[in-house]
Amino acid sequence: MSEPTPEEVFLTENFAKLGLGEKPLKEALKNKKITTAWAEVLNDIKLPEEDGVDAKAGVLLSALVTATKDFGGAEGKRAFVANAVLDGKLKSNAQIEAAVKYIKGKKGEVDATEFDKECGVGIEFTPERIEKDVKAYIEENKNTILEQRYKEFTRTLVTLKTSTDLKWAPPADLKKEVDAQLAALLGPKDERDAPAKKQPKAPAAAGAKTAKKPENEEISKNRMFEEGFLAGLHRPGGNEQIVPANMEAHLKVTGGRVFTRFPPEPNGYLHIGHSKAITINFGFARYHGGECYLRYDDTNPEAEEERYVTAIRDIIEWLGFQPYKITYASDHFQKLYELAEDLIKRDKGYICHCTAEEVNLQRGGKDNRGPRFECKHRNRPIEESLQEFRNMKDGKYKPKEAMLRMKQDILGSGNPQMWDLTAYRVLDGAPHHRTGDEWKIYPTYDFTHCLCDSFENISHSLCTTEFINSRESYDWLCNALEIYRPQQREYGRLNLTGTIMSKRKIAKLVSGGYVRGWNDPRLYTLVAIRRRGIPPGAILAFVNELGVTTSHSYVQIKRFEQTVRRYLEETVPRLMMILDPIPVIIENLPEDHLEEFSVPFMPNDTKLGEHMVPFTRKVYIDRSDFREEDSADYFRLAPGKSVGLLKVPFTIRATSYTKDEAGNVTEVRAEYENTGKFKKPKTYIQWVCDAPSKGSPVRVEARLTNQLFKSENPEDNPDGYLADINPDSERIHKDAIIETGIHEVRRRAPWPELEGEKDPSKAGPESCRFQALRVGYFALDSDTTDDRFVLNRIVTLKEDAGKNA
């Protein structure tokens, strides 16, 4: 090996005083301009001989050197900035940027007072001051914010960071405070905060040529990928690498195609919010001709079960997506372990024996607002940490007695995701569902996720905005190990108001008997939504209509149901069903009268075909379609009044009725008005005839589901969400009846082949959907047997579920 040059020796000695490690030194020596700039700065300042300087100062000086490598000393101006760093006047990258801007634009000598003002010297931001300054700005602009709501968030944050002293505040703390104060002022996001819909173009002038409308309907279905957040994502290869060769290898493996992944933890059932994540990850890859992995994040054996693995895969396929490959984090346990050892060898990881309380204090204690300090184990020798990690692997430590932590930036960063996160911990509570008792230690999400993305050559790591702070730690770990780094980008979550989606809270609903199980149609788990009969295509349409932005979507249940209703209106057949039947005897028809009418499954549309409906002397109508006393505003059946029966040629007129001891009508007598002049009825009602030879009526149990909770925010109930349960969330009609066409509808389900159900053999009973005329949309429930039909109401015909049909 050649002897180090005097310049290398000089930088090595001084980098040690600055607390900068071997890697920054190597990087500095690679670039001649950087090397020269460092030498000039170090010659212009005086470093302490023994104690060194604060580690943060070294990082800030590195930023200064990089920003001024082409600027030079410029008559001592750069040295002025460097000494300001060492004196503790400049404490953040934002101040360094302001200082460089100042000295580059300053003619003549530096004016210390002017410099301090331009660079925010002496301005300290406690949490109380940030809260006070944000509050003052919001109060001053309250009317505009109330009018524009969350659309003002970005402008508010940008204004505070560029035009006020808050630009010197820790960015993460500032954003958190703005988030909190806007939420307190405006409440949860709702439809007013959704992206504005595009307005239709004005009609073309007479004689002007108009563009031909696209014939391919897929354009509208792909709007979420063509507009907004997803349309602005980088192309494959657009994510820069710390080692350029890593990108070359990545593109060679992927062929430049998009690769995404959906990474659920198999510890529970997915809910409606996950449908957005599934659609984004699988849909984005499919739209760009790429592929999407289904990767189970199975790193916590104490909470994971095989039944969830199966349920997740089934739901994804039901929604119409096929994973490129099904993988598990556990596939990579050995490789992850080897990289953890590599991290320690690079002095980027250490074994910590602190308690949870001690780690919390290191991170600033309660609310992370106290002083931060390093763990006492942080600077133990590399070989010692390596041996301790192997001891963990060999089972020599119990849970919480030792953990591997990443050596990040606990002192200098304002981002909690950089405060020496845990990479590995000891777990021995339960065997892993795939690896059994092979491992005593398991990697955390923060360690596993980005590395598995790298192993699988993911081009776009798409996740929700609660992981926005994790992007920095995601990048840090890939770069620390010098492996291919995918690009993480974050979008807003989908939330429905008026329901509960917490696994823990749904478990209480199930165990307490408030619902029949995780798939109870009143819940918004995806297995419950499926059982209720909501088509997968309607869910995809809903996500597409909402679009994808970086803001969370708080959507009312009624908006979701509107989309479902529109979807069903165009895709399902119609049948007549009676929830609370009473018999009507048409006295002037003979006992053996039997007619059959051909009725289309879809009015005015023959594409779904027709079916035969029998008509006899005895028919059933709904109790709500008969009144004992008539009135001018009532148009259905009453004594002496005529009404039409759907698809029957002539009207019937009620002549008498009988009642039981409780006062309930038990039978209506009527005449068939098939002689004389035809009377056009003011309304028609549905009916089902009594024709045993034709198998009519078909008896069913109809379950009418309503919203499970009474309010839009069940958790706001002072007595808890369980006290907010709607006592009328389900009404069961055990003696309902339906026409015989249900058998044909069931035989031909799904109607038509919907997304996710193109293979009828995989379609469950819920794929048998229909509209019960004037009652609602229904689907077969999984409780259905060969001789007993059970139906769930999917949605009502109109938005107001309480309105009497």
Side-chain angles (χ1 to χ4, degrees), residues 336-389:
L336 289 167
Y337 174 80
E338 291 168 2
L339 283 179
E341 284 206 353
D342 188 21
L343 192 74
I344 296 171
K345 292 173 183 176
R346 292 170 181 262
D347 199 23
K348 295 291 185 180
Y350 62 98
I351 299 303
C352 168
H353 302 282
C354 295
T355 64
E357 292 76 14
E358 289 171 330
V359 172
N360 185 48
L361 286 174
Q362 294 163 21
R363 294 169 175 169
K366 185 179 180 181
D367 300 325
N368 298 328
R369 293 185 173 184
R372 298 195 298 274
F373 57 92
E374 292 183 350
C375 165
K376 60 187 177 183
H377 309 105
R378 195 175 199 265
N379 295 310
R380 69 195 313 172
I382 290 174
E383 287 303 321
E384 187 178 309
S385 274
L386 195 59
Q387 183 56 52
E388 287 288 82
F389 187 48

Side-chain angles (χ1 to χ4, degrees), residues 195-222:
K197 292 184 178 179
K198 285 190 173 182
Q199 296 299 317
K201 293 181 180 180
K209 291 184 178 180
T210 57
K212 184 180 179 181
K213 291 183 179 180
E215 296 177 1
N216 188 355
E217 196 177 346
E218 288 297 312
I219 292 176
S220 62
K221 291 181 181 179
N222 289 327

Side-chain angles (χ1 to χ4, degrees), residues 203-407:
K209 291 184 178 180
T210 57
K212 184 180 179 181
K213 291 183 179 180
E215 296 177 1
N216 188 355
E217 196 177 346
E218 288 297 312
I219 292 176
S220 62
K221 291 181 181 179
N222 289 327
R223 189 183 74 169
M224 62 185 287
F225 307 116
E226 297 167 342
E227 302 174 9
F229 170 82
L230 293 176
L233 295 178
H234 65 283
R235 293 184 178 182
N239 41 318
E240 294 183 3
Q241 303 293 312
I242 193 169
V243 179
N246 288 338
M247 179 54 71
E248 295 174 15
H250 163 75
L251 293 175
K252 184 176 181 180
V253 171
T254 64
R257 291 197 299 160
V258 166
F259 275 80
T260 59
R261 80 291 167 272
F262 176 62
E265 185 179 355
N267 64 354
Y269 295 101
L270 304 182
H271 55 65
I272 184 65
H274 292 110
S275 68
K276 181 176 182 179
I278 293 169
T279 306
I280 286 174
N281 280 288
F282 282 92
F284 181 76
R286 184 163 69 183
Y287 176 73
H288 288 284
E291 302 287 358
C292 181
Y293 286 83
L294 167 57
R295 184 206 308 142
Y296 292 102
D297 179 30
D298 57 340
T299 58
N300 183 12
E302 295 173 353
E304 296 156 3
E305 297 181 36
E306 190 63 34
R307 60 172 171 150
Y308 300 131
V309 171
T310 302
I312 290 168
R313 183 181 67 247
D314 288 348
I315 281 296
I316 290 170
E317 292 179 350
W318 174 70
L319 283 171
F321 300 110
Q322 287 296 326
Y324 168 63
K325 289 181 181 178
I326 296 176
T327 60
Y328 299 79
S330 56
D331 292 338
H332 306 292
F333 275 174
Q334 182 60 39
K335 192 172 182 179
L336 289 167
Y337 174 80
E338 291 168 2
L339 283 179
E341 284 206 353
D342 188 21
L343 192 74
I344 296 171
K345 292 173 183 176
R346 292 170 181 262
D347 199 23
K348 295 291 185 180
Y350 62 98
I351 299 303
C352 168
H353 302 282
C354 295
T355 64
E357 292 76 14
E358 289 171 330
V359 172
N360 185 48
L361 286 174
Q362 294 163 21
R363 294 169 175 169
K366 185 179 180 181
D367 300 325
N368 298 328
R369 293 185 173 184
R372 298 195 298 274
F373 57 92
E374 292 183 350
C375 165
K376 60 187 177 183
H377 309 105
R378 195 175 199 265
N379 295 310
R380 69 195 313 172
I382 290 174
E383 287 303 321
E384 187 178 309
S385 274
L386 195 59
Q387 183 56 52
E388 287 288 82
F389 187 48
R390 291 168 180 168
N391 291 341
M392 286 173 59
K393 178 178 178 291
D394 293 340
K396 295 182 180 179
Y397 286 108
K398 294 179 181 179
K400 300 182 181 180
E401 289 183 346
M403 57 186 154
L404 172 62
R405 293 175 67 183
M406 295 179 258
K407 192 179 289 188

Side-chain angles (χ1 to χ4, degrees), residues 34-50:
I34 296 286
T35 303
T36 302
W38 265 116
E40 290 173 354
V41 168
L42 291 169
N43 278 316
D44 288 339
I45 61 177
K46 185 174 182 180
L47 297 178
E49 289 297 327
E50 296 180 2

Side-chain angles (χ1 to χ4, degrees), residues 117 156 305 360 362 419 449 468 471 488 588 629 651 756:
K117 182 180 179 181
T156 297
E305 297 181 36
N360 185 48
Q362 294 163 21
W419 295 352
H449 185 65
I468 195 165
R471 189 198 298 181
Q488 177 180 304
N588 59 334
E629 295 183 11
T651 57

Side-chain angles (χ1 to χ4, degrees), residues 540-559:
L540 301 182
F542 176 62
V543 174
N544 186 52
E545 286 173 13
L546 293 177
V548 183
T549 69
T550 55
S551 299
H552 290 329
S553 302
Y554 290 87
V555 185
Q556 291 179 306
I557 285 176
K558 66 180 182 181
R559 182 174 177 186

